[in-house]
Amino acid sequence: METLNNTLFLLINANAQSPGFLLTLSTFLAEWLIYSVPLLLVYLWVRGSHPDRVAAVTATMGVLFALGCGQIINMLWPHPRPFMIGLGHTFLAHKQEASFPSDHAIVFFTLGLGFILTSLRKLGSLILLLGVVVGWSRIYLGVHFPFDIAGAFLVAVPSAWLVVKTLRRCHLDELVVDKLEPIYQRLLS
């Protein structure tokens, strides 16, 4: 499996002949697109309907749960990043820490799946696609292996499903939003 992971990485990873515009675009996607997530969640809360708010809160809880699962996996199996083993080319500065699974990909995949499982299917599908693009860019720039991105998806699927189903079953999604909405309205009135 490791040989396949390395081979796929080398097929995707940029090199010295890679076009500058593609490196710039990849850097934007890999480093900056993640900041659109909190902006999107704030937008859904401020401008969205009650079901949009429920979806945003539920998907956010799913992301937090998935990130926690990812950290546990990271501690139990600290897989090195490509640049830590001298593989390929690195075009993005990154700390020397375990790479499996990718936190960036976990955020996008879990958020997208959370939205798909609630009421925002089209938005969720777009976010899933962005997760694939962000994952590709992080491989292209040399900070993740392909299996880091695939592993993130494998963490995201059960995490999103479990959180959405649990919150719905206990009506905690509605309860949380019902408690937060009056606070939000008092603060802005």
Side-chain angles (χ1 to χ4, degrees):
M1 289 296 269
E2 199 63 33
T3 302
L4 176 60
N5 200 19
N6 292 348
T7 302
L8 290 172
F9 169 77
L10 291 171
L11 287 173
I12 299 169
N13 184 226
N15 58 46
Q17 290 76 38
S18 296
F21 81 91
L22 195 51
L23 290 169
T24 301
L25 176 62
S26 298
T27 300
F28 171 77
L29 294 170
E31 275 195 307
W32 298 102
L33 198 58
I34 193 78
Y35 295 110
S36 68
V37 170
L39 294 175
L40 172 64
L41 294 171
V42 168
Y43 177 82
L44 286 172
W45 184 266
V46 173
R47 304 287 295 180
S49 63
H50 181 78
D52 293 344
R53 290 177 179 160
V54 171
V57 167
T58 302
T60 300
M61 290 182 179
V63 168
L64 294 174
F65 180 76
L67 285 170
C69 292
Q71 289 303 308
I72 291 168
I73 293 168
N74 217 279
M75 288 187 298
L76 295 175
W77 191 55
H79 191 269
R81 292 180 183 273
F83 62 84
M84 293 168 65
I85 61 171
L87 188 65
H89 300 87
T90 307
F91 294 93
L92 184 65
H94 203 290
K95 291 187 283 186
Q96 290 199 11
E97 60 187 8
S99 69
F100 184 87
S102 164
D103 289 341
H104 282 76
I106 282 178
V107 168
F108 281 98
F109 292 150
T110 310
L111 189 67
L113 290 166
F115 284 158
I116 288 170
L117 292 170
T118 56
S119 62
L120 301 173
R121 286 175 181 78
K122 287 181 183 177
L123 180 59
S125 298
L126 174 64
I127 292 171
L128 276 179
L129 179 62
L130 289 175
V132 171
V133 171
V134 168
W136 169 85
S137 68
R138 295 183 72 76
I139 298 165
Y140 186 74
L141 295 172
V143 295
H144 273 294
F145 285 101
F147 285 8
D148 299 340
I149 308 308
F153 186 77
L154 292 176
V155 169
V157 170
S159 296
W161 182 85
L162 181 65
V163 169
V164 169
K165 295 301 177 191
T166 301
L167 291 178
R168 276 190 184 156
R169 183 172 294 129
C170 302
H171 303 288
L172 286 174
D173 52 354
E174 291 282 345
L175 181 67
V176 169
V177 173
D178 289 345
K179 296 292 183 193
L180 290 175
E181 279 180 332
I183 296 168
Y184 162 71
Q185 289 166 353
R186 261 186 253 130
L187 289 172
L188 292 178
S189 59

